Amino acid sequence: MPELPEVEAAVRALRAAVVGRTIRDAHTRHAAARRALPDDVAAALTGRRIVGVTRMGKHQALALDDGSTLHAHFRMTGDWDVGRADAPLPPHARVVLTFDDGVRVALVDPRALGGITWHAPGQAPAPALGPDALDDAFDAAALRAALRTRRTAIKPALLDQRVVAGVGNIYAAEALWVARIDPRVAAASLGPARAERLVAAIRSVMRDALETPGRYQDGEALERMHVYGREGEPCTRCGATIRRIVQAGRSTYFCGGCQRR
DNA sequence: CGTATCCTGACC
DNA sequence: GGTCAGGATACG
């Protein structure tokens, strides 16, 4: 499910449930999850205490008391299920962590593209990322600097986590609509004024989503979208028809009327 | 840039 | 049966 706002909500729930708790059992329930977290590595987690949970873009890091890190990524369909250890396990639970106080956290991930990996102290858990979309370091100057050498269109560039961390396919489309920028515009051609508008739009789209409970696959969340999933519908701003194109293999929705090249 | 790949489920 | 899906990476 996750772009930055959904991951942030998941991190907050996880943090409240597990910081200060000690792992009593860790195991995987799917071949892909086991490749990422082999059985012996999972077994060695017993006795480790979680000392902190942080988010970097869409990545999550669970700091352990021995200086090592559990790195979690939801990819397309991951989410945490937090509950009691004696409750029935939800469908598609791929990794299960049980804690000393009876709390159980499961990585629920129907497509099993996400996962948890373990990293020894000093090993970087996440790949190099650009500034987090909600970080003050993400401003118009930083965005333009990151885009200057790109030869791609702005929309696929926004999905590159080295440009800005946390933006995904849905909110990239929504932010470009808010900023009135055509997703096909060359990334490197973005001027100062449009970069400013785009940064502000990304922030506001992320903040709005963060403040709204629920997930964006819910009908209620999709109703708030201005362009995503709305091919053929009239633009709420100018009335022109929302279009769908494919960029870098992914759907892009935009309004051909008020999003300018 | 495009394509394929990792997976499963929903939908046509 | 085929297509598509919120992500990311590897390769041509």
Side-chain angles (χ1 to χ4, degrees):
Chain A
M1 64 171 218
E3 295 186 33
L4 184 152
E6 295 75 31
V7 176
E8 177 61 24
V11 159
R12 289 175 185 176
L14 181 69
R15 192 179 284 144
V18 308
V19 170
R21 307 283 178 268
T22 298
I23 296 170
R24 184 194 287 158
D25 176 76
H27 66 272
T28 56
R29 298 172 51 82
H30 187 278
R34 200 163 300 120
R35 281 195 294 276
L37 191 72
D39 288 343
D40 56 334
V41 177
L45 294 173
T46 298
R48 294 275 62 76
R49 187 166 44 90
I50 311 276
V51 297
V53 180
T54 54
R55 178 187 63 76
M56 306 90 73
K58 305 171 198 173
H59 300 256
Q60 301 173 65
L62 288 68
L64 306 183
D65 60 353
D66 63 353
S68 67
T69 305
L70 284 176
H71 172 239
H73 200 296
F74 287 164
R75 294 286 188 108
M76 300 275 259
T77 53
D79 196 7
W80 297 122
D81 175 85
V82 178
R84 303 295 307 174
D86 53 8
L89 213 49
H92 312 301
R94 308 307 192 193
V95 183
V96 183
L97 304 174
T98 308
F99 293 86
D100 55 353
D101 63 346
V103 163
R104 185 192 61 206
V105 172
L107 172 64
V108 174
D109 187 9
R111 284 176 71 178
L113 295 176
I116 298 178
T117 51
W118 178 83
H119 302 262
Q123 276 184 5
L129 299 172
D132 192 89
L134 287 183
D135 195 301
D136 288 340
F138 177 59
D139 59 17
L143 178 61
R144 290 192 74 210
L147 296 179
R148 201 158 289 148
T149 61
R150 307 246 151 199
R151 278 187 289 265
T152 163
I154 184 63
K155 194 298 199 138
L158 288 179
L159 298 185
D160 187 331
Q161 302 298 296
R162 294 168 298 187
V163 171
V164 52
V167 176
N169 201 40
I170 292 183
Y171 295 136
E174 292 297 310
L176 286 166
W177 180 85
V178 170
R180 302 181 188 238
I181 297 170
D182 188 311
R184 299 165 295 182
V185 164
S189 75
L190 204 71
R194 306 180 107 198
E196 200 76 57
R197 285 214 314 274
L198 184 51
V199 167
I202 290 170
R203 285 228 184 83
S204 85
V205 164
M206 293 294 173
R207 292 228 172 87
D208 285 353
L210 202 48
E211 285 162 14
T212 313
R215 319 207 155 123
Y216 53 148
Q217 70 264 45
D218 295 349
E220 192 185 317
L222 284 174
E223 280 169 30
R224 293 195 306 274
M225 301 299 165
H226 289 102
V227 287
Y228 185 83
R230 296 198 176 279
E231 183 182 15
E233 297 181 30
C235 173
T236 56
R237 192 164 52 202
C238 78
T241 303
I242 303 300
R243 298 176 53 192
R244 173 185 179 270
I245 60 175
V246 174
Q247 293 179 294
R250 325 247 351 236
S251 289
T252 296
Y253 297 89
F254 70 105
C255 173
C258 56
Q259 289 181 251
R260 301 301 167 81
R261 277 194 183 267

